[in-house]
Amino acid sequence: MRTTQEILRCAKAASRSLSTLTTAQKNAALTAMADSLVAHTDDILAANREDVAAAEGSISPVMMDRLTLTAARIEGMAQGIREVAALPDPVGRELSSTVHGKGMIIRKVAVPIGVVAIIYESRPNVTSDAAALTLKSGNVCVLRGGKEAYRSAAAIVAALREGLAQVGISPDMVGLIEDTTRASANELMRAEGLVDLLIPRGGAGLIRACVENATVPCIQTGTGICHVYVDKAADLAMAVDILDNAKMSRPSVCNAAEICLVHKDIAADFLPMLKARLCDPAREHSAELRLDAAAAAIIDGTPANEADFDTEFLDYILAVRVVADVEEAIAHIAAHSTMHSEAIITADAATAARFTAAVDSAAVYVNVSTRFTDGGEFGLGCEMGISTQKMHARGPMGLEELTTYKYVITGDGQTR
Amino acid sequence: MRTTQEILRCAKAASRSLSTLTTAQKNAALTAMADSLVAHTDDILAANREDVAAAEGSISPVMMDRLTLTAARIEGMAQGIREVAALPDPVGRELSSTVHGKGMIIRKVAVPIGVVAIIYESRPNVTSDAAALTLKSGNVCVLRGGKEAYRSAAAIVAALREGLAQVGISPDMVGLIEDTTRASANELMRAEGLVDLLIPRGGAGLIRACVENATVPCIQTGTGICHVYVDKAADLAMAVDILDNAKMSRPSVCNAAEICLVHKDIAADFLPMLKARLCDPAREHSAELRLDAAAAAIIDGTPANEADFDTEFLDYILAVRVVADVEEAIAHIAAHSTMHSEAIITADAATAARFTAAVDSAAVYVNVSTRFTDGGEFGLGCEMGISTQKMHARGPMGLEELTTYKYVITGDGQTR
């Protein structure tokens, strides 16, 4: 087994050459990676079958579905890589340019970050997505996946590295950490000088461990306790449609709504409409509503406890609270949100403006479902994750968010 | 004494209202702060005299000069605040705007970061500069200055807060930490939920403590081990002028050069020229050269030890090493630089292009002195510090670098 340190040293060395590759070289590499992935479909499926067999009985059906690969899914992963090749190159963009009074030119230019380490869980497609996005942005990736998907990830990375070698690019551009114990995650968090950015993609425990322990720069992603506030001036039918979409269309994702805040003046009208739609027994999945005392006085449901307003359910569960006005909604969100996505439903422009100005989240919606917080939907063309912090990148991270910049100053002998 | 927690809670509460102030309100506040500072000149000078008296004998003459205020210096601080008022407002800028296929508008808008804590040392003018820059960018500042300048900082902050109150803005927009022991610095580093960004401005020990201990986002600033590489294709007279400026014009600042790398082919010609200029005994300050073996074979000087190539001298000392070519210079910089500012002196465009592409520092210069790395020189109008990290902000931080962004999405019922 190669140690994590060895893999990181190879990654750092590869990053020096990768940062100066041309767009054409990077796109040729991406195409070769996609082709190699498809060519190795049998190997990848064989490895995946071992992972699936080993996981049988120990993970949930949803996780098992995420873990399981098919030839079509591998083709989809390859297609994803080809789509990244078609995106604009984020490296080398001139962000600004000024001529100093003494005559030298000061250019601010987008450059790669360097070595980007990604800690993720069991979805094998993250392996190829992350490799494609980091390569296109001139970065080297070091992947540290979950134990239960290790054989699949190793087969995918072997195929990607073979593709890189075919076009004469260092295979160390895509590294896979071989140690899947917690020790390697901790090592990545403290690999100063070797890891330029760590992106933890996973549950609250992983994010918390990174905040506590990391000495390398981190971008926190993915935890979404998203709120929908139904104002007294809301179109109530629209509000029901948006909550249906935000809560029920895909509850396992981070941009799904978890909490509904309802203005007291329309609660008696709105809550029965909401219950009729979300809890309709004729639906395939019916929602459980967890109600504060004021909501429980209007409709039936489970009594909410305080923890329900701080929980990312990722399930067909919605916590409901009645608030006095938009200010109380804003204060509740400030106290309980993970700063991912929040929505207001209102026909009142002044109330909407107050909400969007005061709510300090990555995405703030007016009369739109929170489910749109996504790199593809926001026009970024792709997504490495959704940042819930304020430094560097906020919301969906695309290729530009995987770059930094430097100033390049050219002159003919200027001194200060 | 107010506890650090109390001050931070007040700051967080103030940040909610500050983020929605208009440009006119912020500029009126800045003008009031400047006027109040001048009006309280006598109080500030009295407090400063106490600091100076207490510090007598325990700090260096340079530090004593930095600590000592005069009426003219206070007027200069007020003028600095007025200049910040005249700069464009960085908040509310529309960074991008797209219309989604379903019709809603997705706007990316610059917003304040929130509570910005700044740990700094003894220069009283940092107190007013930091307060002005954070207010203009819609942020609340929490200042934690050095013990030896505490009375001065407290008098300055009292004047600034009085100015804020006069125009009806919460004085808690400018907070001063009253505990000047290490405990308060550690508290700021771990004040999750209360501090949105911590900017340590100080020596390597402070920066190191932040890297090790901080759980809040930090921007490392200021440590500069800057290199000047004199290529074989350099104009040697230009190279001497640039090194004279980069090393000798103000050695105590972070953009001063510490290391000179010299191509072996021109070392025999160049090093005597360098020594004649920098070590001229007729100068007010003459440099000490710390030479590697190859340089010492050409000119006299102090033998360099390995640590000299990893030291921010901040003094009239220059370490000199002879290298085989630009690649060895690039490799040396990668191993020893703090990623602040580096320069190449060369007339060869291809060598210059290789150097600027491969050197991974905030500012990379071709035939220009490193001394220009500065917010004012780069056209930012001001500066909060010089970031030596890659995330969020790199190089000089101006008002824009003190903002983050959010997405504001407005529609009429869109669901996904």
Coordinates of all heavy atoms in Angstrom, one line a residue, chain A residues 100 104 113 190 192 196 208 212 238 245 356-357 359 361-369 371-372 377 390 392 394 404-409 411 413-416, chain B residues 100 104 113 190 192 196 208 212 238 245 356-357 359 361-369 371-372 377 390 392 394 404-409 411-416:
Chain A
H100 N 0.0 51.0 -14.3 CA 0.5 51.8 -13.2 C 1.0 53.1 -13.7 O 1.5 53.2 -14.9 CB 1.6 51.0 -12.4 CG 2.0 51.7 -11.2 ND1 3.0 52.7 -11.1 CD2 1.7 51.5 -9.9 CE1 3.2 53.0 -9.9 NE2 2.4 52.3 -9.1
M104 N 4.3 50.2 -15.7 CA 4.2 48.7 -15.8 C 2.7 48.3 -15.8 O 1.9 49.0 -15.3 CB 5.0 48.0 -14.7 CG 4.4 48.2 -13.3 SD 5.0 49.7 -12.6 CE 4.7 49.3 -10.8
I113 N -5.6 26.3 -8.2 CA -5.3 26.3 -6.7 C -4.1 25.4 -6.4 O -3.3 25.8 -5.6 CB -6.6 25.9 -6.0 CG1 -7.7 26.9 -6.1 CG2 -6.3 25.6 -4.5 CD1 -9.0 26.5 -5.6
R190 N -4.4 17.9 7.8 CA -3.2 18.6 8.3 C -2.0 18.6 7.4 O -0.9 18.8 7.8 CB -2.9 18.0 9.7 CG -4.1 18.1 10.7 CD -3.7 17.6 12.1 NE -2.8 18.5 12.7 CZ -3.1 19.6 13.4 NH1 -4.4 19.9 13.6 NH2 -2.2 20.4 13.9
E192 N -0.3 20.4 5.5 CA 0.1 21.7 5.1 C 1.3 21.6 4.1 O 2.2 20.9 4.3 CB 0.6 22.6 6.3 CG -0.6 23.0 7.1 CD 0.0 23.5 8.5 OE1 0.7 24.5 8.5 OE2 -0.3 22.8 9.5
D196 N -3.6 22.1 -1.0 CA -3.9 23.5 -1.1 C -5.3 23.8 -0.7 O -5.7 24.9 -0.3 CB -3.6 24.0 -2.5 CG -2.1 24.0 -2.8 OD1 -1.4 24.8 -2.1 OD2 -1.7 23.2 -3.6
R208 N -17.7 18.8 10.7 CA -17.3 19.2 12.0 C -15.9 18.8 12.3 O -15.1 19.6 12.8 CB -18.2 18.5 13.0 CG -18.1 19.0 14.4 CD -18.6 20.4 14.6 NE -17.7 21.1 15.4 CZ -17.5 22.4 15.4 NH1 -18.2 23.2 14.5 NH2 -16.6 23.0 16.1
E212 N -12.8 21.5 13.1 CA -12.1 21.3 14.4 C -10.6 21.1 14.1 O -9.7 21.6 14.9 CB -12.6 20.1 15.2 CG -13.8 20.5 16.0 CD -13.6 21.5 17.1 OE1 -12.5 21.5 17.7 OE2 -14.5 22.2 17.5
M238 N -49.5 29.1 -4.9 CA -48.1 29.0 -5.3 C -47.2 28.5 -4.2 O -46.3 27.7 -4.4 CB -47.6 30.4 -5.7 CG -46.2 30.5 -6.2 SD -45.5 32.1 -6.1 CE -46.3 32.9 -7.5
N245 N -42.7 21.0 -4.1 CA -41.5 20.7 -4.9 C -40.3 20.7 -4.0 O -39.4 19.9 -4.1 CB -41.3 21.8 -6.0 CG -40.1 21.6 -6.9 OD1 -39.1 22.3 -6.7 ND2 -40.2 20.6 -7.7
T356 N -34.6 39.3 1.2 CA -33.4 39.0 0.4 C -32.2 39.8 1.0 O -31.0 39.3 0.9 CB -33.5 39.2 -1.1 OG1 -33.9 40.6 -1.3 CG2 -34.6 38.3 -1.7
A357 N -32.4 41.0 1.5 CA -31.3 41.8 2.0 C -30.8 41.2 3.4 O -29.6 41.1 3.6 CB -31.7 43.2 2.2
V359 N -31.5 38.1 4.9 CA -31.2 36.6 5.0 C -29.8 36.4 4.5 O -29.5 36.7 3.3 CB -32.2 35.7 4.4 CG1 -31.7 34.3 4.3 CG2 -33.5 35.8 5.1
S361 N -27.8 33.8 3.4 CA -27.5 32.5 2.9 C -27.0 32.5 1.5 O -27.1 33.6 0.9 CB -28.9 31.7 3.0 OG -29.3 31.5 4.3
A362 N -26.4 31.4 1.1 CA -25.8 31.4 -0.2 C -26.8 31.7 -1.3 O -26.5 32.4 -2.3 CB -25.2 30.0 -0.5
A363 N -28.0 31.2 -1.2 CA -29.1 31.4 -2.2 C -30.3 31.9 -1.5 O -30.8 31.2 -0.6 CB -29.3 30.2 -3.1
V364 N -30.9 33.0 -1.9 CA -32.1 33.5 -1.3 C -33.2 33.6 -2.5 O -32.9 34.3 -3.4 CB -31.9 34.8 -0.6 CG1 -33.2 35.2 0.1 CG2 -30.8 34.7 0.4
Y365 N -34.3 33.0 -2.3 CA -35.3 32.9 -3.4 C -36.5 33.7 -3.1 O -37.0 33.7 -1.9 CB -35.7 31.4 -3.6 CG -34.6 30.5 -4.1 CD1 -33.7 29.9 -3.3 CD2 -34.6 30.2 -5.5 CE1 -32.7 29.0 -3.8 CE2 -33.6 29.4 -6.0 CZ -32.7 28.8 -5.1 OH -31.7 28.0 -5.6
V366 N -37.1 34.3 -4.1 CA -38.4 34.9 -4.0 C -39.4 34.2 -4.9 O -39.1 34.2 -6.2 CB -38.3 36.4 -4.4 CG1 -39.7 37.1 -4.3 CG2 -37.3 37.1 -3.5
N367 N -40.4 33.5 -4.4 CA -41.4 32.8 -5.2 C -40.8 31.8 -6.1 O -41.3 31.6 -7.2 CB -42.2 33.9 -6.0 CG -43.0 34.8 -5.1 OD1 -43.4 34.4 -4.0 ND2 -43.2 36.0 -5.5
V368 N -39.7 31.1 -5.6 CA -39.1 30.0 -6.4 C -38.7 28.9 -5.4 O -38.3 29.2 -4.3 CB -37.8 30.6 -7.1 CG1 -37.1 29.4 -7.9 CG2 -38.2 31.7 -8.1
S369 N -38.7 27.7 -5.9 CA -38.3 26.6 -5.0 C -36.8 26.6 -4.7 O -36.0 26.9 -5.6 CB -38.7 25.3 -5.7 OG -38.1 24.1 -5.1
R371 N -35.0 24.1 -4.6 CA -34.4 23.0 -5.3 C -33.5 23.4 -6.4 O -32.7 22.6 -7.0 CB -35.4 22.0 -5.8 CG -36.2 21.2 -4.8 CD -35.3 20.1 -4.1 NE -34.2 19.6 -5.1 CZ -34.5 18.8 -6.1 NH1 -35.7 18.3 -6.3 NH2 -33.5 18.4 -6.9
F372 N -33.5 24.7 -6.8 CA -32.7 25.2 -7.9 C -31.2 25.5 -7.5 O -30.4 25.8 -8.4 CB -33.3 26.4 -8.6 CG -34.6 26.1 -9.4 CD1 -35.8 26.4 -8.8 CD2 -34.5 25.7 -10.7 CE1 -37.0 26.1 -9.6 CE2 -35.6 25.4 -11.4 CZ -36.9 25.6 -10.9
E377 N -28.2 24.3 -12.8 CA -29.3 25.3 -12.8 C -28.8 26.7 -12.8 O -29.5 27.6 -13.4 CB -30.3 25.0 -11.6 CG -30.9 23.6 -11.6 CD -31.9 23.4 -12.7 OE1 -32.5 24.4 -13.2 OE2 -32.2 22.2 -13.1
K390 N -18.7 31.4 3.7 CA -18.7 32.7 3.0 C -17.3 33.0 2.3 O -17.3 33.8 1.4 CB -19.0 33.8 4.0 CG -20.4 33.7 4.6 CD -20.6 35.0 5.3 CE -21.7 34.8 6.3 NZ -21.9 36.1 7.1
H392 N -14.2 32.6 -0.1 CA -13.8 32.1 -1.4 C -15.0 31.8 -2.3 O -15.1 32.4 -3.4 CB -12.9 30.8 -1.3 CG -12.3 30.4 -2.6 ND1 -11.3 31.1 -3.2 CD2 -12.6 29.4 -3.4 CE1 -11.0 30.5 -4.3 NE2 -11.7 29.4 -4.5
R394 N -19.2 30.6 -2.6 CA -20.5 30.4 -1.9 C -21.5 29.8 -2.8 O -21.5 30.2 -4.0 CB -20.9 31.8 -1.5 CG -21.7 31.9 -0.2 CD -22.0 33.2 0.3 NE -22.7 33.1 1.5 CZ -23.5 34.0 2.1 NH1 -23.6 35.2 1.6 NH2 -24.1 33.7 3.2
T404 N -7.9 30.2 -8.2 CA -7.5 31.4 -7.5 C -7.0 32.4 -8.5 O -7.2 32.2 -9.7 CB -6.6 31.1 -6.3 OG1 -6.2 32.3 -5.6 CG2 -5.3 30.4 -6.8
Y405 N -6.2 33.3 -8.1 CA -5.6 34.3 -9.0 C -4.2 34.7 -8.6 O -3.9 34.5 -7.4 CB -6.5 35.5 -9.2 CG -6.8 36.3 -8.0 CD1 -5.9 37.2 -7.5 CD2 -8.0 36.1 -7.3 CE1 -6.2 38.0 -6.4 CE2 -8.3 36.8 -6.1 CZ -7.4 37.8 -5.7 OH -7.6 38.5 -4.5
K406 N -3.5 35.2 -9.5 CA -2.3 35.9 -9.0 C -2.1 37.2 -9.9 O -2.7 37.3 -10.9 CB -1.0 35.0 -9.2 CG -0.6 34.6 -10.5 CD 0.6 33.7 -10.4 CE 1.0 33.1 -11.7 NZ 1.9 31.9 -11.6
Y407 N -1.3 38.1 -9.4 CA -1.0 39.3 -10.1 C 0.3 39.1 -10.9 O 1.3 38.6 -10.3 CB -0.8 40.5 -9.1 CG -2.1 41.0 -8.5 CD1 -2.5 40.5 -7.3 CD2 -3.0 41.9 -9.2 CE1 -3.7 40.9 -6.7 CE2 -4.2 42.3 -8.6 CZ -4.5 41.8 -7.4 OH -5.7 42.2 -6.8
V408 N 0.3 39.4 -12.1 CA 1.5 39.4 -12.9 C 1.8 40.8 -13.4 O 1.0 41.4 -14.0 CB 1.4 38.4 -14.1 CG1 2.6 38.4 -15.0 CG2 1.1 37.0 -13.7
I409 N 3.0 41.3 -13.0 CA 3.4 42.7 -13.3 C 4.6 42.7 -14.2 O 5.6 42.1 -13.9 CB 3.7 43.4 -12.0 CG1 2.5 43.3 -11.0 CG2 4.0 44.9 -12.2 CD1 2.6 42.2 -10.0
G411 N 7.3 45.1 -16.5 CA 7.7 46.4 -16.7 C 9.1 46.5 -17.3 O 9.6 45.5 -17.9
G413 N 12.0 48.0 -15.5 CA 13.0 48.5 -14.5 C 12.4 49.4 -13.4 O 13.1 50.0 -12.7
Q414 N 11.0 49.4 -13.3 CA 10.4 50.3 -12.3 C 10.8 50.0 -10.9 O 10.8 48.8 -10.5 CB 8.8 50.1 -12.5 CG 8.3 50.9 -13.6 CD 8.3 50.1 -14.9 OE1 8.9 49.0 -15.0 NE2 7.8 50.6 -16.0
T415 N 11.0 51.0 -10.1 CA 11.3 50.9 -8.7 C 10.4 51.9 -8.0 O 9.9 52.8 -8.6 CB 12.7 51.3 -8.4 OG1 13.0 52.6 -8.9 CG2 13.7 50.2 -9.0
R416 N 10.1 51.6 -6.7 CA 9.2 52.5 -6.0 C 9.9 53.4 -5.1 O 10.8 53.0 -4.4 CB 8.3 51.5 -5.1 CG 7.3 52.3 -4.3 CD 6.4 51.2 -3.6 NE 5.4 51.9 -2.7 CZ 4.7 51.3 -1.8 NH1 4.8 50.0 -1.7 NH2 3.8 52.0 -1.1
Chain B
H100 N -32.9 32.1 -16.0 CA -33.1 30.6 -16.1 C -34.1 30.3 -17.2 O -35.0 31.1 -17.5 CB -33.5 30.1 -14.8 CG -33.6 28.6 -14.7 ND1 -34.6 27.9 -15.1 CD2 -32.7 27.7 -14.1 CE1 -34.4 26.6 -14.8 NE2 -33.2 26.5 -14.3
M104 N -37.0 32.6 -14.1 CA -36.6 33.4 -13.0 C -35.2 34.0 -13.2 O -34.4 33.4 -14.0 CB -36.6 32.6 -11.7 CG -35.6 31.5 -11.5 SD -36.2 30.0 -12.3 CE -35.2 28.8 -11.5
I113 N -19.3 40.4 4.6 CA -18.9 39.1 5.2 C -19.6 39.0 6.5 O -20.1 37.9 6.9 CB -17.4 39.0 5.3 CG1 -16.7 38.9 3.9 CG2 -17.0 37.8 6.2 CD1 -15.2 39.0 3.9
R190 N -11.7 30.9 17.9 CA -12.6 29.8 18.0 C -14.1 30.3 18.2 O -14.9 29.5 18.6 CB -12.2 28.9 19.1 CG -10.8 28.3 19.0 CD -10.4 27.3 20.0 NE -11.2 26.1 19.9 CZ -10.8 25.0 19.1 NH1 -9.7 25.1 18.4 NH2 -11.6 24.0 19.0
E192 N -16.8 30.5 16.7 CA -17.7 30.2 15.6 C -19.1 30.7 15.8 O -19.6 30.7 16.8 CB -17.8 28.6 15.5 CG -16.6 28.0 15.0 CD -16.6 26.5 15.3 OE1 -17.5 25.8 14.8 OE2 -15.8 26.0 16.2
D196 N -17.0 36.0 11.6 CA -17.1 35.4 10.2 C -15.8 35.3 9.5 O -15.6 34.6 8.6 CB -18.1 36.2 9.4 CG -19.5 36.1 9.9 OD1 -20.1 35.0 9.8 OD2 -20.0 37.1 10.4
R208 N 1.0 31.4 12.8 CA 1.1 30.0 13.1 C 0.0 29.6 14.1 O -0.7 28.6 13.9 CB 2.5 29.7 13.6 CG 2.8 28.3 13.8 CD 3.0 27.5 12.5 NE 2.3 26.3 12.6 CZ 1.8 25.6 11.5 NH1 1.9 26.2 10.3 NH2 1.2 24.5 11.7
E212 N -3.0 26.8 13.4 CA -3.1 25.6 14.3 C -4.4 25.6 15.1 O -5.0 24.5 15.2 CB -2.0 25.7 15.4 CG -0.6 25.1 14.9 CD -0.7 23.6 14.6 OE1 -1.4 22.9 15.2 OE2 0.1 23.2 13.7
M238 N 20.0 47.3 -14.5 CA 18.6 47.4 -14.1 C 18.4 46.5 -12.8 O 17.7 46.8 -11.9 CB 17.6 46.9 -15.2 CG 16.2 46.9 -14.8 SD 15.1 45.8 -15.8 CE 15.1 46.8 -17.4
N245 N 16.3 48.9 -4.7 CA 15.0 49.4 -4.3 C 14.3 48.3 -3.5 O 13.7 48.6 -2.4 CB 14.2 49.7 -5.5 CG 12.8 50.3 -5.2 OD1 11.8 49.6 -5.3 ND2 12.7 51.5 -4.7
T356 N 6.8 33.5 -14.7 CA 5.5 34.0 -14.3 C 4.4 32.8 -14.2 O 3.6 32.8 -13.4 CB 4.9 35.1 -15.1 OG1 4.8 34.8 -16.5 CG2 5.8 36.4 -15.0
A357 N 4.6 31.9 -15.2 CA 3.6 30.8 -15.1 C 3.9 29.8 -14.0 O 3.0 29.3 -13.4 CB 3.7 30.0 -16.5
V359 N 5.9 30.2 -11.1 CA 6.0 30.7 -9.7 C 4.6 31.0 -9.1 O 3.8 31.7 -9.7 CB 6.9 32.0 -9.6 CG1 6.8 32.6 -8.3 CG2 8.3 31.6 -10.0
S361 N 3.1 32.6 -6.6 CA 3.0 33.6 -5.5 C 1.9 34.6 -5.9 O 1.5 34.7 -7.0 CB 4.4 34.3 -5.4 OG 5.3 33.3 -4.9
A362 N 1.5 35.4 -4.9 CA 0.4 36.3 -5.1 C 0.8 37.4 -6.1 O -0.1 37.7 -6.9 CB 0.1 37.1 -3.8
A363 N 2.1 37.8 -6.2 CA 2.5 38.8 -7.2 C 3.8 38.3 -7.8 O 4.7 38.0 -7.1 CB 2.7 40.2 -6.5
V364 N 3.8 38.3 -9.1 CA 5.0 37.8 -9.8 C 5.4 38.9 -10.8 O 4.6 39.4 -11.6 CB 4.8 36.5 -10.6 CG1 6.1 36.0 -11.1 CG2 4.2 35.4 -9.7
Y365 N 6.7 39.4 -10.6 CA 7.1 40.6 -11.3 C 8.1 40.3 -12.4 O 9.0 39.4 -12.2 CB 7.8 41.6 -10.3 CG 6.8 42.2 -9.3 CD1 6.5 41.6 -8.1 CD2 6.3 43.5 -9.6 CE1 5.7 42.2 -7.2 CE2 5.4 44.1 -8.7 CZ 5.1 43.4 -7.5 OH 4.3 44.0 -6.6
V366 N 8.1 41.0 -13.5 CA 9.1 40.9 -14.5 C 9.7 42.3 -14.7 O 9.0 43.3 -15.1 CB 8.5 40.5 -15.9 CG1 9.6 40.4 -16.9 CG2 7.8 39.1 -15.8
N367 N 11.0 42.4 -14.3 CA 11.7 43.7 -14.4 C 11.1 44.8 -13.6 O 11.1 46.0 -14.1 CB 11.9 44.1 -15.9 CG 12.7 43.0 -16.7 OD1 13.6 42.4 -16.1 ND2 12.4 42.9 -18.0
V368 N 10.6 44.5 -12.5 CA 9.9 45.5 -11.6 C 10.3 45.1 -10.2 O 10.4 43.9 -9.8 CB 8.4 45.5 -11.8 CG1 7.8 46.5 -10.9 CG2 8.0 45.8 -13.3
S369 N 10.4 46.1 -9.3 CA 10.7 45.8 -7.9 C 9.5 45.2 -7.2 O 8.4 45.6 -7.4 CB 11.1 47.1 -7.2 OG 11.1 47.0 -5.8
R371 N 8.6 45.8 -4.3 CA 8.0 46.8 -3.4 C 6.6 47.3 -3.8 O 6.0 48.0 -3.0 CB 9.0 48.0 -3.2 CG 10.3 47.7 -2.4 CD 10.0 47.5 -0.9 NE 8.8 48.3 -0.4 CZ 8.8 49.6 -0.2 NH1 9.9 50.3 -0.4 NH2 7.7 50.2 0.2
F372 N 6.2 47.0 -5.0 CA 4.9 47.5 -5.5 C 3.7 46.7 -5.0 O 2.6 47.1 -5.3 CB 4.9 47.6 -7.0 CG 5.7 48.7 -7.6 CD1 7.0 48.5 -8.1 CD2 5.2 50.0 -7.6 CE1 7.7 49.5 -8.6 CE2 6.0 51.1 -8.2 CZ 7.2 50.8 -8.7
E377 N -0.8 50.9 -4.7 CA -0.1 50.7 -6.0 C -0.8 49.9 -7.0 O -0.7 50.1 -8.2 CB 1.3 50.1 -5.7 CG 2.2 50.9 -4.8 CD 2.7 52.2 -5.5 OE1 2.8 52.2 -6.7 OE2 3.1 53.1 -4.7
K390 N -4.2 31.3 -0.7 CA -4.8 31.2 -2.1 C -6.3 31.3 -2.0 O -7.0 31.6 -3.0 CB -4.5 29.9 -2.7 CG -3.0 29.8 -3.0 CD -2.7 28.6 -3.9 CE -1.3 28.2 -3.9 NZ -1.1 27.0 -4.7
H392 N -10.0 32.8 -1.3 CA -10.8 34.0 -1.2 C -10.0 35.2 -1.7 O -10.5 35.8 -2.7 CB -11.2 34.3 0.3 CG -12.1 35.4 0.4 ND1 -13.4 35.3 0.1 CD2 -11.9 36.7 0.9 CE1 -14.0 36.5 0.3 NE2 -13.1 37.3 0.8
R394 N -6.1 37.1 -2.5 CA -4.6 36.8 -2.7 C -4.0 38.2 -2.9 O -4.5 39.0 -3.7 CB -4.5 35.9 -3.9 CG -3.3 35.1 -3.8 CD -3.1 34.0 -4.9 NE -2.0 33.3 -4.6 CZ -1.3 32.5 -5.4 NH1 -1.7 32.4 -6.7 NH2 -0.2 31.9 -5.1
T404 N -18.2 39.1 0.3 CA -18.5 37.8 -0.2 C -19.7 38.0 -1.2 O -19.9 39.2 -1.6 CB -18.8 36.7 0.8 OG1 -19.1 35.5 0.2 CG2 -20.0 37.1 1.8
Y405 N -20.5 37.0 -1.5 CA -21.6 37.2 -2.4 C -22.7 36.3 -2.1 O -22.5 35.3 -1.3 CB -21.2 37.0 -3.9 CG -20.6 35.7 -4.2 CD1 -21.5 34.6 -4.5 CD2 -19.3 35.4 -4.3 CE1 -20.9 33.3 -4.8 CE2 -18.7 34.2 -4.6 CZ -19.6 33.1 -4.8 OH -19.0 31.9 -5.1
K406 N -23.9 36.6 -2.5 CA -24.9 35.6 -2.5 C -25.7 35.6 -3.8 O -25.6 36.6 -4.5 CB -25.9 35.8 -1.3 CG -26.7 37.1 -1.3 CD -27.5 37.1 0.1 CE -28.2 38.5 0.3 NZ -28.6 38.6 1.7
Y407 N -26.5 34.6 -4.0 CA -27.4 34.5 -5.2 C -28.7 34.9 -4.7 O -29.3 34.4 -3.7 CB -27.4 33.1 -5.7 CG -26.1 32.7 -6.4 CD1 -25.1 32.0 -5.7 CD2 -25.9 33.0 -7.8 CE1 -23.9 31.6 -6.4 CE2 -24.7 32.6 -8.4 CZ -23.7 31.9 -7.7 OH -22.6 31.5 -8.3
V408 N -29.3 35.8 -5.5 CA -30.7 36.2 -5.2 C -31.5 35.8 -6.4 O -31.2 36.3 -7.6 CB -30.8 37.7 -4.9 CG1 -32.3 38.2 -4.8 CG2 -30.0 38.1 -3.7
I409 N -32.5 35.0 -6.2 CA -33.3 34.4 -7.4 C -34.8 34.9 -7.2 O -35.4 34.6 -6.2 CB -33.2 32.9 -7.3 CG1 -31.8 32.4 -7.4 CG2 -34.0 32.3 -8.6 CD1 -31.2 32.1 -6.0
G411 N -38.6 35.0 -9.0 CA -39.5 34.3 -10.0 C -40.9 34.5 -9.6 O -41.3 35.3 -8.8
D412 N -41.8 33.7 -10.2 CA -43.2 33.7 -10.0 C -43.8 32.4 -9.9 O -44.8 32.1 -10.4 CB -43.9 34.6 -11.1 CG -43.5 34.1 -12.5 OD1 -42.9 33.0 -12.6 OD2 -43.8 34.8 -13.5
G413 N -43.1 31.5 -9.1 CA -43.7 30.2 -8.7 C -42.9 29.1 -9.4 O -43.4 27.9 -9.3
Q414 N -41.7 29.3 -9.8 CA -41.0 28.2 -10.5 C -40.7 27.0 -9.5 O -40.3 27.3 -8.4 CB -39.6 28.7 -11.0 CG -39.8 29.5 -12.3 CD -40.2 31.0 -12.1 OE1 -40.4 31.4 -11.0 NE2 -40.3 31.7 -13.2
T415 N -40.8 25.8 -10.0 CA -40.5 24.6 -9.3 C -39.6 23.8 -10.3 O -39.6 23.9 -11.5 CB -41.7 23.8 -8.9 OG1 -42.5 23.5 -10.1 CG2 -42.5 24.6 -7.9
R416 N -38.8 22.9 -9.7 CA -37.9 22.1 -10.5 C -38.4 20.7 -10.6 O -38.9 20.1 -9.7 CB -36.5 22.0 -9.7 CG -35.5 21.3 -10.5 CD -34.1 21.5 -9.7 NE -33.1 20.6 -10.4 CZ -31.9 20.3 -9.9 NH1 -31.6 20.8 -8.7 NH2 -31.1 19.5 -10.5

